[in-house]
Amino acid sequence: MIDPAISPATHKVFTGDSTHHQDSMGEIHEPHNGHHEHHKENFITKYVFSQDHKMIAKQFLITGMFWALVGGLLSVVFRVQLGFPNQAFPILETIFGKWAPGGIISPDFYYMLVTMHGTLLVFFVLTAGLSGTFANLLLPLQIGARDMASPFLNMLSYWFFFMASVVMMASFFLPDGASDVGWTAYPPLSGVKESSPGASAGMDYWLVGMALFIFSSLLGGLNYITTVLNLRTKGMSMAKMPLTVWALLITAVLGLLSFPVLLGAAILLIFDRNIGTSFYLDNIYINGHALPNDGGNAILYQHLFWFLGHPEVYIIILPAFGLVSEVLATNARKPIFGYRAMILSMLAIAVLAFVVWAHHMFVTGLNPFVASVFVFLTLLVAVPSAIKVFNWIATIWQGNIRFTPAMLYAIGFVSMFISGGLTGIFLGNSSIDIVLHDTYFVIAHFHIVMGVSAFFGMFAGVYHWFPKMYGRLMNNTLGYIHFWITMVGAYMIFWPMHYMGLAGVPRRYYSFDAFQSFNMFGGLNQFITLAAMLVFFAQLLFLVNFFFSIFYGRKLKTQNPWESNTIEWTTPINAGHGNWPGELPTVHRWPYDYSKNGEEYIPQTTPLREGETGGH
Amino acid sequence: MMSAAANNNRFHPLKFGLWLGIASIIMLFAALTSAYIVRKAQGNWVEFRMPPIFWLNTVVILASSLTMHWAVISFRKMKENTFRIALSVTLVLGIIFMLCQYLGWLDLGNRGIYIDGNPSGSFVYVISGVHAVHILGGLIIMAVILIRSFIKAFNPNKITGVEMMATYWHFVDVLWIYLLIFFQINLS
C-alpha cells in the first residue's frame, strides 16, 4: 500500500485529473489526496523550491554553468602568471587588490586560484553540474516516470548543493582568502591552520562546503538509483534502457559508495584541525615551534581521499559516456554498436574504480609489490575503455551522420577520450609514473581525459537536450563556432603540456625563474596561456547562445526534433510536472532501432511487428 | 484500493532508498574503521580497556530494538495505545543509550584517555561520536512520529514511515554491535 503522505513517488498530480493515474508500475493509483493539496504553482514553487525534476535539472545546470565560468576564469588568471611570470598587469591589482600587488599575482593567491579551480571544476561543475543536470532531466523522462522516487529529497539535493555553493563562494571573500592547500586538501598542509593563509578560515569553509556537497550528492544518488530500479514504465526492462540511464545509474552507485568515504576523511581532518587530534599530523614544526600532535599518518588521508577520488573521476566521465552514446547513435542513424558490451564495460569500470586508488600514490613510499598490484588493476581499466571507444567508432562507421553541434561534441569527446586515455596507460605504470608524477604530463592527462572529455559530453548533452528543456532550439552556427574553437583550443592548451611534463617541468610551481632548465618553455607557456584565454572567451559564445535561446531561440515545432527513439521525446514540447498528460507510455523495444528494415527510426513505444524481437 | 495487494509484492521505493542510505552509512563506518586498522598497524599505539558501561549500553540498545519491533507490530495490529507506549519506551532507551555513551566518554577521560591524545583513543571518541550522531537522528525521527501519534488521528497508512524508522533503528543498533566488537578485538 502506498501512502501518499509518505510516498511522494507519484504525488503532486499533473493534469488536473487526479482520480486515476497509471503509476510507473503500471498499476492504477489511488486518488492523490494526500497532504499536497496545492496543485497550483506559484513562482516560488515553480522556479525556486520546485520539486519537478525537469526544473531541478535546469537549476543544477545553470548553477553548474555559473561555477564553470568562475572556475574557468580562475584558471585564466593563474595562467597569466605562468605565461607572463612577474610581468605587471595593473588591471589585476585593480580587480584583486592586495592579492595582486603591483599587478602581479601573489604566490598565496596563485595557490588559492589553483585549489579553487580544481575543487569547483571537479565537484561543482563536472559532478553536480553534469550528473545533477542529466540524471534529473533524463532518468524520469527516459524510463517513463512522472518524477523521481522522492521529489522532495530531490529538491533538498539541489538546495544542499546551493548551500555548498554559497559557502564556497563566501570563502573567496574571507580576509585570508579561500582554501589554498590544493583541491585534494592533503594534510599536513590542510591539517594545520597556520600552514598558509588559506589553511585557516578558508579551509574551514572548504570543509563545510564539501560536507554540504556530499550530502547533496548522496541525496541525489539514492534517489536516482531508487528511481531507475523501481519506477520504470511498463515494458522498460533493464535491457531496454537507453545507455544514458545505465550510465547515470552506475554513476549514482559509485557516488553513493565513495562519497561517504570522503566524508569520513573530512571528519577526521576536521577533528585534527579543530579538536587537536592526531589522525594525520605527526611531528610538525611550524614557525620554529613544535605542534603537540603526535602519532598521525598523513598517508592515511591520501588512502581515504583517493578511495573516493578515483571513483570520482569515473563519476565525472560515466555520465558523459552515456550522453555521448545516445547522441552518436541518434545522429549516426545507426543502432549503438555492442549495447551489452557498453553496459558490461561500464560495470567493469565501476568495479575497477574501487580497486585502483593507490595509483595516485606511487610516490608516497608505497610498497613496490603493492604498487605492482595496483598497476595491474589500473591497466585493466584500459580494456573496458577500449571496448567503449571501439563501439563508439563502430557506431558511427558508415552511418548517415547528421553533424549537429551535439554530434560534433560527441565525436570530439571520443577523440579527447582516446588522447587522454592513452597517456593514462603511461601513468598507470608505477615505474613511469614515478618519473612523470607531479609534472605537467599528469596535468595534460587528466585535463584531457576527464576535464575536457567530460565537458564535451556535457556540451553534447546540452545541445542535444536543450529543446527538451526549453522547447526551443539553440543556434547552430554559434554552436559550430563554439565547437571548433573549443576543440582546437583544448588541444592547443593541453598537448604542449605533455612535452613539458616529459622534460620534467613540475606542476604546482608558481614560477620557474629559479630553474634554468625550464626557461626554455617560457614561449610555450605563453602560447598555452593565450590558448586558454581564447577557449575561455569562446565559452561566452555558448553562454550567449544558451541564454538567448531560452527566450528567443527558434521554437520547437515537433515533439521529436532529432527523430530519436527514446521516450523523452514523446512528452509534449513543454511538459508539465508529471511529464505525460495521459497515461505513461508503454515500451516495446530497445532504444536503438535506427535504419532498421528500411525505416529511418522506430521509437521505443512502437509495438513489435511480426517477426521482430524486442531486443538487439 | 487496487494497488494495495500488488504493492505488497514490490519493494517500496522509499524503503529501497533507505537501504541505499544505509549502504552509504556502512561505507562511512567502513572508511573510519579501516582508517583505524591502517593507523594501528603503524605502531605508537596506546592500548586501554573499553569503558565497561559500553556493555551495559549494548544491552540497552538491544532492548530498544525489541521494543521498536513491538511498536511496529502494535502499529500493524492498529493498537494505537500499545504503539505509543512501545515507541515511548524505545525513545527513552535510546536516550539512556546516549547518556551511557556520554558516561563512557567521561570514564575514558578519567583514565587519561583524551580525544586529543594518542590516536587509539581519538578513534574511539570520533567513531562512537559519529555513531551517536546517527542515533540522535533516529531519536529525532522517533520523537516526531511519537508526537504525531499523540496529536493526529491514527492512520494505518503511515505504516511505511513506521517501518522505515524501525529499519533504521535496527541498523544503528547492529552498527553499534559491530563497533563494539571491533573495538573489543582491536583494543585488547
Side-chain angles (χ1 to χ4, degrees), chain A residues 347-379:
Chain A
L347 288 171
I349 288 174
V351 172
L352 288 170
F354 286 104
V355 290
V356 297
W357 78 90
H359 71 219
H360 298 270
M361 299 166 60
F362 287 145
V363 295
T364 56
L366 196 70
N367 178 328
F369 173 73
V370 176
S372 71
V373 175
F374 279 100
V375 169
F376 171 70
L377 292 166
T378 302
L379 295 184

mmCIF file of all heavy atoms in Angstrom, chain A residues 347-379:
data_model
loop_
_atom_site.group_PDB
_atom_site.id
_atom_site.type_symbol
_atom_site.label_atom_id
_atom_site.label_comp_id
_atom_site.label_asym_id
_atom_site.label_seq_id
_atom_site.Cartn_x
_atom_site.Cartn_y
_atom_site.Cartn_z
ATOM 1 N N LEU A 347 30.020 -1.355 -16.206
ATOM 2 C CA LEU A 347 30.030 -2.047 -14.916
ATOM 3 C C LEU A 347 31.454 -2.423 -14.520
ATOM 4 O O LEU A 347 31.849 -2.290 -13.356
ATOM 5 C CB LEU A 347 29.150 -3.307 -14.992
ATOM 6 C CG LEU A 347 27.644 -3.040 -15.055
ATOM 7 C CD1 LEU A 347 26.891 -4.330 -15.348
ATOM 8 C CD2 LEU A 347 27.151 -2.439 -13.747
ATOM 9 N N ALA A 348 32.230 -2.879 -15.503
ATOM 10 C CA ALA A 348 33.611 -3.262 -15.206
ATOM 11 C C ALA A 348 34.393 -2.041 -14.717
ATOM 12 O O ALA A 348 35.150 -2.124 -13.744
ATOM 13 C CB ALA A 348 34.263 -3.856 -16.454
ATOM 14 N N ILE A 349 34.193 -0.911 -15.395
ATOM 15 C CA ILE A 349 34.892 0.310 -14.974
ATOM 16 C C ILE A 349 34.487 0.675 -13.551
ATOM 17 O O ILE A 349 35.314 1.056 -12.723
ATOM 18 C CB ILE A 349 34.595 1.459 -15.965
ATOM 19 C CG1 ILE A 349 35.327 1.204 -17.282
ATOM 20 C CG2 ILE A 349 35.001 2.806 -15.385
ATOM 21 C CD1 ILE A 349 34.999 2.178 -18.386
ATOM 22 N N ALA A 350 33.186 0.504 -13.251
ATOM 23 C CA ALA A 350 32.702 0.862 -11.916
ATOM 24 C C ALA A 350 33.330 -0.029 -10.850
ATOM 25 O O ALA A 350 33.708 0.444 -9.774
ATOM 26 C CB ALA A 350 31.176 0.752 -11.865
ATOM 27 N N VAL A 351 33.465 -1.322 -11.144
ATOM 28 C CA VAL A 351 34.068 -2.227 -10.157
ATOM 29 C C VAL A 351 35.551 -1.890 -9.991
ATOM 30 O O VAL A 351 36.062 -1.743 -8.878
ATOM 31 C CB VAL A 351 33.880 -3.694 -10.588
ATOM 32 C CG1 VAL A 351 34.673 -4.620 -9.688
ATOM 33 C CG2 VAL A 351 32.394 -4.058 -10.546
ATOM 34 N N LEU A 352 36.239 -1.701 -11.125
ATOM 35 C CA LEU A 352 37.667 -1.393 -11.057
ATOM 36 C C LEU A 352 37.918 -0.071 -10.344
ATOM 37 O O LEU A 352 38.958 0.127 -9.720
ATOM 38 C CB LEU A 352 38.265 -1.367 -12.468
ATOM 39 C CG LEU A 352 38.408 -2.735 -13.143
ATOM 40 C CD1 LEU A 352 38.782 -2.587 -14.607
ATOM 41 C CD2 LEU A 352 39.454 -3.574 -12.423
ATOM 42 N N ALA A 353 36.946 0.838 -10.430
ATOM 43 C CA ALA A 353 37.120 2.164 -9.821
ATOM 44 C C ALA A 353 37.510 2.069 -8.353
ATOM 45 O O ALA A 353 38.248 2.914 -7.847
ATOM 46 C CB ALA A 353 35.822 2.959 -9.948
ATOM 47 N N PHE A 354 37.029 1.008 -7.678
ATOM 48 C CA PHE A 354 37.267 0.918 -6.238
ATOM 49 C C PHE A 354 38.580 0.229 -5.881
ATOM 50 O O PHE A 354 38.932 0.156 -4.713
ATOM 51 C CB PHE A 354 36.113 0.168 -5.565
ATOM 52 C CG PHE A 354 34.875 1.007 -5.471
ATOM 53 C CD1 PHE A 354 33.808 0.788 -6.320
ATOM 54 C CD2 PHE A 354 34.791 2.036 -4.542
ATOM 55 C CE1 PHE A 354 32.670 1.573 -6.244
ATOM 56 C CE2 PHE A 354 33.662 2.816 -4.461
ATOM 57 C CZ PHE A 354 32.599 2.595 -5.316
ATOM 58 N N VAL A 355 39.280 -0.301 -6.861
ATOM 59 C CA VAL A 355 40.489 -1.048 -6.520
ATOM 60 C C VAL A 355 41.728 -0.493 -7.221
ATOM 61 O O VAL A 355 42.697 -1.211 -7.404
ATOM 62 C CB VAL A 355 40.318 -2.556 -6.841
ATOM 63 C CG1 VAL A 355 39.326 -3.179 -5.875
ATOM 64 C CG2 VAL A 355 39.877 -2.774 -8.275
ATOM 65 N N VAL A 356 41.684 0.770 -7.617
ATOM 66 C CA VAL A 356 42.857 1.329 -8.298
ATOM 67 C C VAL A 356 43.366 2.593 -7.617
ATOM 68 O O VAL A 356 44.250 3.258 -8.140
ATOM 69 C CB VAL A 356 42.545 1.646 -9.779
ATOM 70 C CG1 VAL A 356 42.207 0.385 -10.516
ATOM 71 C CG2 VAL A 356 41.429 2.650 -9.904
ATOM 72 N N TRP A 357 42.822 2.928 -6.426
ATOM 73 C CA TRP A 357 43.092 4.266 -5.893
ATOM 74 C C TRP A 357 44.573 4.533 -5.638
ATOM 75 O O TRP A 357 45.040 5.651 -5.791
ATOM 76 C CB TRP A 357 42.253 4.503 -4.642
ATOM 77 C CG TRP A 357 42.786 3.846 -3.401
ATOM 78 C CD1 TRP A 357 43.655 4.410 -2.528
ATOM 79 C CD2 TRP A 357 42.494 2.535 -2.906
ATOM 80 N NE1 TRP A 357 43.922 3.533 -1.513
ATOM 81 C CE2 TRP A 357 43.229 2.372 -1.714
ATOM 82 C CE3 TRP A 357 41.696 1.494 -3.330
ATOM 83 C CZ2 TRP A 357 43.186 1.210 -0.959
ATOM 84 C CZ3 TRP A 357 41.653 0.341 -2.583
ATOM 85 C CH2 TRP A 357 42.384 0.201 -1.417
ATOM 86 N N ALA A 358 45.322 3.464 -5.292
ATOM 87 C CA ALA A 358 46.709 3.731 -4.906
ATOM 88 C C ALA A 358 47.580 4.129 -6.090
ATOM 89 O O ALA A 358 48.731 4.504 -5.893
ATOM 90 C CB ALA A 358 47.297 2.529 -4.185
ATOM 91 N N HIS A 359 47.047 4.095 -7.324
ATOM 92 C CA HIS A 359 47.897 4.566 -8.426
ATOM 93 C C HIS A 359 48.078 6.080 -8.380
ATOM 94 O O HIS A 359 48.877 6.622 -9.138
ATOM 95 C CB HIS A 359 47.399 4.068 -9.798
ATOM 96 C CG HIS A 359 46.130 4.691 -10.285
ATOM 97 N ND1 HIS A 359 45.162 3.988 -10.940
ATOM 98 C CD2 HIS A 359 45.672 5.956 -10.225
ATOM 99 C CE1 HIS A 359 44.169 4.797 -11.264
ATOM 100 N NE2 HIS A 359 44.450 5.992 -10.832
ATOM 101 N N HIS A 360 47.348 6.728 -7.508
ATOM 102 C CA HIS A 360 47.605 8.163 -7.274
ATOM 103 C C HIS A 360 48.728 8.350 -6.263
ATOM 104 O O HIS A 360 49.095 9.471 -5.944
ATOM 105 C CB HIS A 360 46.345 8.856 -6.759
ATOM 106 C CG HIS A 360 45.213 8.800 -7.725
ATOM 107 N ND1 HIS A 360 44.994 9.763 -8.674
ATOM 108 C CD2 HIS A 360 44.236 7.880 -7.913
ATOM 109 C CE1 HIS A 360 43.939 9.447 -9.403
ATOM 110 N NE2 HIS A 360 43.456 8.302 -8.961
ATOM 111 N N MET A 361 49.201 7.242 -5.703
ATOM 112 C CA MET A 361 50.096 7.340 -4.547
ATOM 113 C C MET A 361 51.398 6.574 -4.755
ATOM 114 O O MET A 361 52.045 6.191 -3.793
ATOM 115 C CB MET A 361 49.366 6.785 -3.309
ATOM 116 C CG MET A 361 48.101 7.555 -2.985
ATOM 117 S SD MET A 361 47.071 6.678 -1.804
ATOM 118 C CE MET A 361 48.189 6.567 -0.437
ATOM 119 N N PHE A 362 51.790 6.368 -6.022
ATOM 120 C CA PHE A 362 53.013 5.605 -6.269
ATOM 121 C C PHE A 362 54.245 6.265 -5.663
ATOM 122 O O PHE A 362 55.231 5.594 -5.384
ATOM 123 C CB PHE A 362 53.228 5.417 -7.783
ATOM 124 C CG PHE A 362 52.289 4.423 -8.405
ATOM 125 C CD1 PHE A 362 51.812 4.615 -9.697
ATOM 126 C CD2 PHE A 362 51.896 3.272 -7.727
ATOM 127 C CE1 PHE A 362 50.958 3.696 -10.292
ATOM 128 C CE2 PHE A 362 51.044 2.351 -8.320
ATOM 129 C CZ PHE A 362 50.566 2.564 -9.603
ATOM 130 N N VAL A 363 54.205 7.589 -5.493
ATOM 131 C CA VAL A 363 55.403 8.260 -4.967
ATOM 132 C C VAL A 363 55.323 8.505 -3.465
ATOM 133 O O VAL A 363 56.113 9.250 -2.912
ATOM 134 C CB VAL A 363 55.682 9.592 -5.691
ATOM 135 C CG1 VAL A 363 56.029 9.345 -7.143
ATOM 136 C CG2 VAL A 363 54.516 10.538 -5.561
ATOM 137 N N THR A 364 54.367 7.886 -2.781
ATOM 138 C CA THR A 364 54.272 8.116 -1.336
ATOM 139 C C THR A 364 55.065 7.091 -0.549
ATOM 140 O O THR A 364 54.923 6.992 0.664
ATOM 141 C CB THR A 364 52.817 8.020 -0.848
ATOM 142 O OG1 THR A 364 52.314 6.740 -1.229
ATOM 143 C CG2 THR A 364 51.959 9.100 -1.423
ATOM 144 N N GLY A 365 55.888 6.296 -1.203
ATOM 145 C CA GLY A 365 56.621 5.266 -0.482
ATOM 146 C C GLY A 365 55.831 3.976 -0.414
ATOM 147 O O GLY A 365 56.049 3.144 0.467
ATOM 148 N N LEU A 366 54.920 3.841 -1.340
ATOM 149 C CA LEU A 366 54.104 2.622 -1.393
ATOM 150 C C LEU A 366 55.015 1.413 -1.646
ATOM 151 O O LEU A 366 55.922 1.480 -2.459
ATOM 152 C CB LEU A 366 53.102 2.775 -2.535
ATOM 153 C CG LEU A 366 51.910 1.848 -2.574
ATOM 154 C CD1 LEU A 366 50.957 2.178 -1.445
ATOM 155 C CD2 LEU A 366 51.190 1.989 -3.906
ATOM 156 N N ASN A 367 54.741 0.345 -0.959
ATOM 157 C CA ASN A 367 55.471 -0.896 -1.163
ATOM 158 C C ASN A 367 55.421 -1.288 -2.654
ATOM 159 O O ASN A 367 54.343 -1.354 -3.235
ATOM 160 C CB ASN A 367 54.793 -1.969 -0.298
ATOM 161 C CG ASN A 367 55.415 -3.334 -0.455
ATOM 162 O OD1 ASN A 367 55.910 -3.683 -1.522
ATOM 163 N ND2 ASN A 367 55.380 -4.101 0.614
ATOM 164 N N PRO A 368 56.574 -1.513 -3.287
ATOM 165 C CA PRO A 368 56.583 -1.797 -4.727
ATOM 166 C C PRO A 368 55.734 -3.001 -5.115
ATOM 167 O O PRO A 368 55.154 -3.036 -6.191
ATOM 168 C CB PRO A 368 58.056 -2.056 -5.034
ATOM 169 C CG PRO A 368 58.801 -1.401 -3.938
ATOM 170 C CD PRO A 368 57.928 -1.453 -2.736
ATOM 171 N N PHE A 369 55.631 -3.970 -4.213
ATOM 172 C CA PHE A 369 54.778 -5.116 -4.541
ATOM 173 C C PHE A 369 53.313 -4.684 -4.604
ATOM 174 O O PHE A 369 52.587 -5.010 -5.550
ATOM 175 C CB PHE A 369 54.949 -6.240 -3.514
ATOM 176 C CG PHE A 369 53.966 -7.347 -3.737
ATOM 177 C CD1 PHE A 369 54.121 -8.220 -4.811
ATOM 178 C CD2 PHE A 369 52.852 -7.491 -2.915
ATOM 179 C CE1 PHE A 369 53.197 -9.221 -5.052
ATOM 180 C CE2 PHE A 369 51.920 -8.486 -3.160
ATOM 181 C CZ PHE A 369 52.095 -9.354 -4.230
ATOM 182 N N VAL A 370 52.902 -3.916 -3.600
ATOM 183 C CA VAL A 370 51.524 -3.406 -3.608
ATOM 184 C C VAL A 370 51.303 -2.567 -4.856
ATOM 185 O O VAL A 370 50.283 -2.672 -5.541
ATOM 186 C CB VAL A 370 51.249 -2.583 -2.330
ATOM 187 C CG1 VAL A 370 49.857 -1.978 -2.381
ATOM 188 C CG2 VAL A 370 51.403 -3.452 -1.094
ATOM 189 N N ALA A 371 52.312 -1.748 -5.177
ATOM 190 C CA ALA A 371 52.196 -0.903 -6.364
ATOM 191 C C ALA A 371 51.977 -1.765 -7.604
ATOM 192 O O ALA A 371 51.166 -1.424 -8.463
ATOM 193 C CB ALA A 371 53.450 -0.048 -6.517
ATOM 194 N N SER A 372 52.661 -2.912 -7.673
ATOM 195 C CA SER A 372 52.520 -3.722 -8.886
ATOM 196 C C SER A 372 51.095 -4.251 -9.023
ATOM 197 O O SER A 372 50.574 -4.360 -10.132
ATOM 198 C CB SER A 372 53.531 -4.867 -8.884
ATOM 199 O OG SER A 372 53.156 -5.829 -7.914
ATOM 200 N N VAL A 373 50.455 -4.542 -7.906
ATOM 201 C CA VAL A 373 49.061 -4.984 -7.963
ATOM 202 C C VAL A 373 48.186 -3.853 -8.504
ATOM 203 O O VAL A 373 47.334 -4.058 -9.376
ATOM 204 C CB VAL A 373 48.568 -5.419 -6.563
ATOM 205 C CG1 VAL A 373 47.083 -5.750 -6.604
ATOM 206 C CG2 VAL A 373 49.364 -6.606 -6.063
ATOM 207 N N PHE A 374 48.451 -2.650 -7.993
ATOM 208 C CA PHE A 374 47.631 -1.527 -8.456
ATOM 209 C C PHE A 374 47.920 -1.182 -9.913
ATOM 210 O O PHE A 374 47.033 -0.724 -10.635
ATOM 211 C CB PHE A 374 47.833 -0.316 -7.539
ATOM 212 C CG PHE A 374 47.011 -0.417 -6.282
ATOM 213 C CD1 PHE A 374 47.565 -0.836 -5.089
ATOM 214 C CD2 PHE A 374 45.659 -0.130 -6.309
ATOM 215 C CE1 PHE A 374 46.799 -0.954 -3.942
ATOM 216 C CE2 PHE A 374 44.875 -0.243 -5.170
ATOM 217 C CZ PHE A 374 45.455 -0.653 -3.977
ATOM 218 N N VAL A 375 49.153 -1.391 -10.352
ATOM 219 C CA VAL A 375 49.463 -1.183 -11.767
ATOM 220 C C VAL A 375 48.616 -2.124 -12.614
ATOM 221 O O VAL A 375 47.959 -1.713 -13.577
ATOM 222 C CB VAL A 375 50.961 -1.433 -12.047
ATOM 223 C CG1 VAL A 375 51.216 -1.493 -13.552
ATOM 224 C CG2 VAL A 375 51.808 -0.361 -11.402
ATOM 225 N N PHE A 376 48.604 -3.386 -12.210
ATOM 226 C CA PHE A 376 47.853 -4.380 -12.981
ATOM 227 C C PHE A 376 46.369 -3.988 -13.054
ATOM 228 O O PHE A 376 45.779 -3.943 -14.130
ATOM 229 C CB PHE A 376 48.021 -5.754 -12.327
ATOM 230 C CG PHE A 376 47.126 -6.812 -12.905
ATOM 231 C CD1 PHE A 376 47.357 -7.290 -14.190
ATOM 232 C CD2 PHE A 376 46.060 -7.309 -12.180
ATOM 233 C CE1 PHE A 376 46.519 -8.257 -14.737
ATOM 234 C CE2 PHE A 376 45.223 -8.274 -12.727
ATOM 235 C CZ PHE A 376 45.462 -8.750 -14.001
ATOM 236 N N LEU A 377 45.794 -3.678 -11.885
ATOM 237 C CA LEU A 377 44.367 -3.346 -11.857
ATOM 238 C C LEU A 377 44.093 -2.081 -12.661
ATOM 239 O O LEU A 377 43.082 -1.970 -13.360
ATOM 240 C CB LEU A 377 43.897 -3.179 -10.404
ATOM 241 C CG LEU A 377 43.902 -4.480 -9.590
ATOM 242 C CD1 LEU A 377 43.753 -4.187 -8.104
ATOM 243 C CD2 LEU A 377 42.782 -5.398 -10.060
ATOM 244 N N THR A 378 45.027 -1.116 -12.567
ATOM 245 C CA THR A 378 44.830 0.139 -13.293
ATOM 246 C C THR A 378 44.848 -0.104 -14.792
ATOM 247 O O THR A 378 44.009 0.420 -15.530
ATOM 248 C CB THR A 378 45.931 1.132 -12.905
ATOM 249 O OG1 THR A 378 45.888 1.335 -11.502
ATOM 250 C CG2 THR A 378 45.729 2.455 -13.619
ATOM 251 N N LEU A 379 45.798 -0.909 -15.242
ATOM 252 C CA LEU A 379 45.889 -1.132 -16.684
ATOM 253 C C LEU A 379 44.685 -1.920 -17.192
ATOM 254 O O LEU A 379 44.312 -1.796 -18.350
ATOM 255 C CB LEU A 379 47.201 -1.840 -17.035
ATOM 256 C CG LEU A 379 48.440 -0.991 -16.726
ATOM 257 C CD1 LEU A 379 49.693 -1.690 -17.178
ATOM 258 C CD2 LEU A 379 48.343 0.389 -17.367
#
